[in-house]
């Protein structure tokens, strides 16, 4: 009986650790990592809401790696549409380039400097109401 319980506990633990993590994660130039939900990138700062650290705002130019689990609204510089077109995509970074996946013409690889703004769904709704 004990072996069955231990086996069941191991199977449950294995199943839970195999689930995909939906959190966003950023890595900074100094090696620090912040895990949570990306709220927005406006101007030169990126804001992340972390369960353990609360709301964290970091300079965009200090971010060396970014991975998002949720689709975000991404506005790129150089877009001529008025208002600028919003791409809904997940973001990952490889070799200093961002890959936007899930949007139109996906995936698209761009330089981080091209990102004018990033907003989660709540921030995008607030922005559209203004």
């Amino acid at each position: 009986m004990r072996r069955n319980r231990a086996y069941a506990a191991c199977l449950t633990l294995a199943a839970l650790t195999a689930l995909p993590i939906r959190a966003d994660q950023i890595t900074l130039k100094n090696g620090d990592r912040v895990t949570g939900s990306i709220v927005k990138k406006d101007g030169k700062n990126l804001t992340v809401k972390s369960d353990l650290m609360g709301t964290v705002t970091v300079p965009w130019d200090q971010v060396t790696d970014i991975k998002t689990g949720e689709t975000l609204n991404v506005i790129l510089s150089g877009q001529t549409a008025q208002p600028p077109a919003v791409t809904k995509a997940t973001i990952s970074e490889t070799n200093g380039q961002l890959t936007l996946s899930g949007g139109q013409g996906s995936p698209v690889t761009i330089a981080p400097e091209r990102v004018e703004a990033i907003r989660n769904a709540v921030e995008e709704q607030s922005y559209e109401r203004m």
Side-chain angles (χ1 to χ4, degrees):
M1 187 67 129
R2 277 189 163 174
R3 188 177 348 169
N4 288 341
R5 284 187 191 155
Y7 182 70
C10 286
L11 282 177
T12 302
L13 181 61
L16 289 175
T17 58
L19 293 174
I21 297 174
R22 302 293 293 176
D24 303 330
Q25 183 177 29
I26 62 168
T27 304
L28 304 175
K29 285 183 179 178
N30 68 0
D32 288 352
R33 291 186 179 160
V34 180
T35 302
S37 297
I38 291 177
V39 177
K40 65 181 176 178
K41 182 239 180 240
D42 283 331
K44 296 182 179 187
N45 294 314
L46 178 70
T47 302
V48 180
K49 185 174 181 184
S50 169
D51 289 340
L52 295 176
M53 296 182 280
T55 301
V56 178
T57 301
V58 298
W60 178 246
D61 65 358
Q62 293 299 303
V63 176
T64 61
D65 189 49
I66 183 170
K67 290 179 182 66
T68 66
E70 298 293 326
T71 300
L72 298 169
N73 300 287
V74 182
I75 297 89
L76 302 177
S77 63
Q79 293 179 334
T80 57
Q82 291 296 330
V86 176
T87 299
K88 295 180 184 288
T90 58
I91 305 169
S92 62
E93 185 163 357
T94 307
N95 298 325
Q97 296 291 304
L98 296 180
T99 301
L100 307 179
S101 301
Q104 296 176 332
S106 163
V108 175
T109 301
I110 60 164
E113 300 81 35
R114 291 223 27 232
V115 176
E116 188 172 305
I118 298 172
R119 297 184 196 101
N120 66 12
V122 173
E123 283 293 316
E124 184 66 19
Q125 287 176 350
S126 295
Y127 178 80
E128 289 175 357
R129 284 189 212 134
M130 289 198 270

